[in-house]
Amino acid sequence: MTLLSTAMATAMIAAPANAKDVSVAVTAIVEHPALDAVRDGVKDALTAAGYKEGENLKFTYQSAQGNPATAAQIARQFIGEAPDVIVPISTPSAQAVVSGTRDIPVVFTAVSDPVGAQLVKSMEKPGGNVTGLSDLSPVADHVKLIKEVAPNVKTIGFLYNSGEANSLSLLEGLKVAAKEAGLEVVESAATKSAEVQGAARALIGKADLIYVPTDNTIISALEGAVSVAEEAKIPLMTADTDSVSRGAFIALGFNYYDVGKQTGEVVVRILKGEKPGDIPVNVAAGTDLVVNLVAAKKMGIEIPQAVVDRASKVIK
């Protein structure tokens, strides 16, 4: 063996297992704090595993800006570029990517009902080239929280995009939990962000409390709904903890940066050789309770001290 070949062999042995250059393409249906946090969490998990942008990682990100047609265009572009893994954030983006490839590994995230959205046939055995992470909201816990913070509420106004499969699944779950608690659910739909304020206004006189699920259309234009809630003195809660700092009075949900890190850890497993179809789809771990005392006052509701005391974050 020559001196050069010996040196090359030594370098190969010494190189870390993840030294190979990899490419990860990330896309989201829209930009808002929760989905941005997922993206950042994915990237940081890759960095922690030794995949560093500018060194051995090409990290690409594109937002569809709330447009399903753009989401489909981005999916086609990414599939044509053939990265090592595609990470679609949200149900619409995941549907666009999954429908377009059977070969490139896909790790979806922030999808409430992956089976209902036809991304996988089974949570336990997804099969094929797809796996991911669900952020299925604990709607039964949300109803319990409503009963605790607003015991006089009889009707819950559900503000959502009727074209988002994620929200339709959450609506059905909420109806079941609400019925068991003796509450009624009133729906109001917005198919695009410009309609959110009007959809919220349509709930005045019909709902005692407005509930915003992890619906990207509504959350991207949350301030419009919050202004209606403040004006009409209707408490507005969300399933998205990042929305509390934007004016919701309370939320019980995931820390989406942590959701992103958990997603990134799945991506790392695939980059290191595991097959997506062999990795079960899990529901994200952890839930946070966040309250906004300023928003509560504006909406005419007083949060019980017991709830404030157990909150993971309180905005005063």
Side-chain angles (χ1 to χ4, degrees), residues 285-316:
T287 52
D288 287 346
L289 175 64
V290 183
V291 301
N292 186 330
L293 300 180
V294 177
K297 186 174 182 180
K298 290 180 179 178
M299 295 172 186
I301 184 170
E302 185 174 346
I303 303 174
Q305 190 59 45
V307 175
V308 175
D309 289 345
R310 70 171 188 266
S312 52
K313 182 179 179 181
V314 178
I315 298 173
K316 298 180 180 180

Side-chain angles (χ1 to χ4, degrees), residues 217-254:
T217 300
I218 308 303
I219 291 174
S220 68
L222 184 73
E223 286 77 8
V226 167
S227 66
V228 171
E230 291 176 353
E231 180 185 346
K233 299 296 182 186
I234 303 174
L236 183 148
M237 71 174 288
T238 79
D240 167 41
T241 55
D242 288 302
S243 293
V244 177
S245 62
R246 298 168 61 198
F249 87 94
I250 198 167
L252 178 66
F254 299 105

Side-chain angles (χ1 to χ4, degrees), residues 167-240:
S167 297
L168 294 174
S169 297
L170 292 172
L171 174 59
E172 293 309 309
L174 182 67
K175 283 181 175 179
V176 171
K179 185 176 181 180
E180 291 176 354
L183 303 178
E184 181 185 354
V185 176
V186 180
E187 305 168 32
S188 188
T191 58
K192 53 188 177 182
S193 59
E195 299 174 356
V196 170
Q197 190 170 41
R201 191 166 283 118
L203 290 170
I204 297 175
K206 298 179 182 178
D208 301 319
L209 178 143
I210 297 174
Y211 174 93
V212 176
T214 50
D215 183 300
N216 296 300
T217 300
I218 308 303
I219 291 174
S220 68
L222 184 73
E223 286 77 8
V226 167
S227 66
V228 171
E230 291 176 353
E231 180 185 346
K233 299 296 182 186
I234 303 174
L236 183 148
M237 71 174 288
T238 79
D240 167 41

Side-chain angles (χ1 to χ4, degrees), residues 18 30 58 63 67 84 99 119 152 168 208 227 230 249 290:
N18 60 1
V30 71
K58 179 183 177 183
S63 164
N67 190 325
D84 293 288
S99 66
L119 300 176
N152 294 326
L168 294 174
D208 301 319
S227 66
E230 291 176 353
F249 87 94
V290 183

Side-chain angles (χ1 to χ4, degrees), residues 111-112 114 123 132-138 254 262 280-286:
V111 173
S112 292
M123 296 278 281
L133 209 69
S134 167
D135 65 341
L136 181 63
S137 294
F254 299 105
Q262 292 170 48
V281 177
N282 290 317
V283 176

